[in-house]
Amino acid sequence: GQQVQQSPASLVLQEGENAELQCNFSSTATQLQWFYQSPGGSLVSLLSNPSGTKHTGRLTSTTVTKERRSSLHISSSQTTDSGTYLCATGGYKVVFGSGTRLLVSP
Amino acid sequence: GGIITQTPKFLIGQEGQKLTLKCQQNFNHDTMYWYRQDSGKGLRLIYYSITENDLQKGDLSEGYDASREKKSSFSLTVTSAQKNEMAVFLCASSRDWGSSAETLYFGSGTRLTVL
């Protein structure tokens, strides 16, 4: 079945630095999304990007479908960006990666 | 807008007990999901349902049963609770995950503790 690997497992930044998160998946699908989970909170979708490049605010995602990888770039990180970032892909069977825990210190 | 309601928020059971978690959504979504999240880890799919009365096993279905008798509700039963099962169970729904305009909406979770 679909396997999703995320790296790094954790990342510590100073406020203002940029973050680069990676997601590798075993097979292509029509959908790939990045989610954010605040500490102790529920999950919310950040953006959908099954192929190409998409921007929203300080977030940029690039998905190279034939190489089965996606990245999420966070520019000028803020302390409020701290939390866990997960990518998810698949058809009806939606599979998540194990996430990247981001800590942004002031 | 809509909401996904999971009950109870906290569930404490004894080892070996049968426990049921409930999920209701008012989005009128066809597809619903149950995930388990262990502390500090990602989400693992237990069961999903494409439509009313449909059930599909995820990667972690052993030890669990599910039921989708109505479009709006999806319940999960832990058939025999184990101490290593302490986790947060998340319910989600989607209208059409395959469309880039759609997403998964999540409930706030049920935290299971097994004594």
Side-chain angles (χ1 to χ4, degrees):
Chain A
Q2 176 76 282
Q3 305 282 331
V4 181
Q5 304 287 339
Q6 289 188 246
S7 61
S10 61
L11 186 59
V12 180
L13 298 175
Q14 293 281 339
E15 197 166 29
E17 292 182 323
N18 298 330
E20 187 83 14
L21 284 58
Q22 301 291 337
C23 175
N24 291 279
F25 41 94
S26 58
S27 54
T28 58
T30 56
Q31 177 61 288
L32 182 139
Q33 290 200 8
W34 285 91
F35 288 80
Y36 168 74
Q37 186 175 34
S38 60
S42 59
L43 284 90
V44 293
S45 177
L46 293 172
L47 49 73
S48 167
N49 189 30
S51 66
T53 298
K54 184 169 280 190
H55 305 272
T56 180
R58 294 182 292 107
L59 304 178
T60 301
S61 173
T62 299
T63 299
V64 183
T65 308
K66 63 180 180 180
E67 294 180 13
R68 299 192 298 277
R69 60 179 174 86
S70 180
S71 65
L72 181 69
H73 181 88
I74 306 172
S75 63
S76 304
S77 63
Q78 301 173 0
T79 56
T80 51
D81 294 332
S82 297
T84 301
Y85 292 79
L86 301 113
C87 72
T89 187
Y92 281 114
K93 185 179 180 182
V94 183
V95 180
F96 281 77
S98 53
T100 293
R101 300 180 92 174
L102 175 65
L103 176 63
V104 182
S105 55
Chain B
I3 191 169
I4 295 182
T5 303
Q6 290 188 238
T7 54
K9 289 190 183 305
F10 299 93
L11 181 57
I12 300 174
Q14 299 289 331
E15 194 168 21
Q17 193 175 359
K18 184 176 178 179
L19 302 166
T20 298
L21 292 68
K22 295 187 183 295
C23 176
Q24 296 266 351
Q25 53 98 357
N26 63 0
F27 289 100
N28 199 34
H29 287 167
D30 285 314
T31 310
M32 296 186 73
Y33 302 82
W34 274 108
Y35 289 92
R36 170 177 158 173
Q37 186 173 34
D38 292 273
S39 181
K41 299 193 177 173
L43 279 66
R44 290 187 285 174
L45 182 63
I46 306 172
Y47 268 96
Y48 63 106
S49 168
I50 296 171
T51 188
E52 186 177 329
N53 292 317
D54 174 73
L55 291 175
Q56 306 281 341
K57 292 184 178 182
D59 297 326
L60 198 66
S61 62
E62 189 169 337
Y64 302 94
D65 287 328
S67 173
R68 181 97 185 271
E69 292 175 354
K70 292 193 302 182
K71 186 176 182 179
S72 62
S73 66
F74 193 29
S75 62
L76 180 72
T77 298
V78 182
T79 56
S80 178
Q82 303 298 314
K83 286 199 174 179
N84 63 3
E85 208 145 28
M86 292 162 56
V88 176
F89 291 80
L90 293 165
C91 176
S93 71
S94 177
R95 188 169 73 94
D96 181 11
W97 166 256
S99 165
S100 62
E102 298 293 332
T103 186
L104 287 182
Y105 294 87
F106 281 86
S108 57
T110 292
R111 184 174 295 274
L112 174 64
T113 301
V114 182
L115 303 176

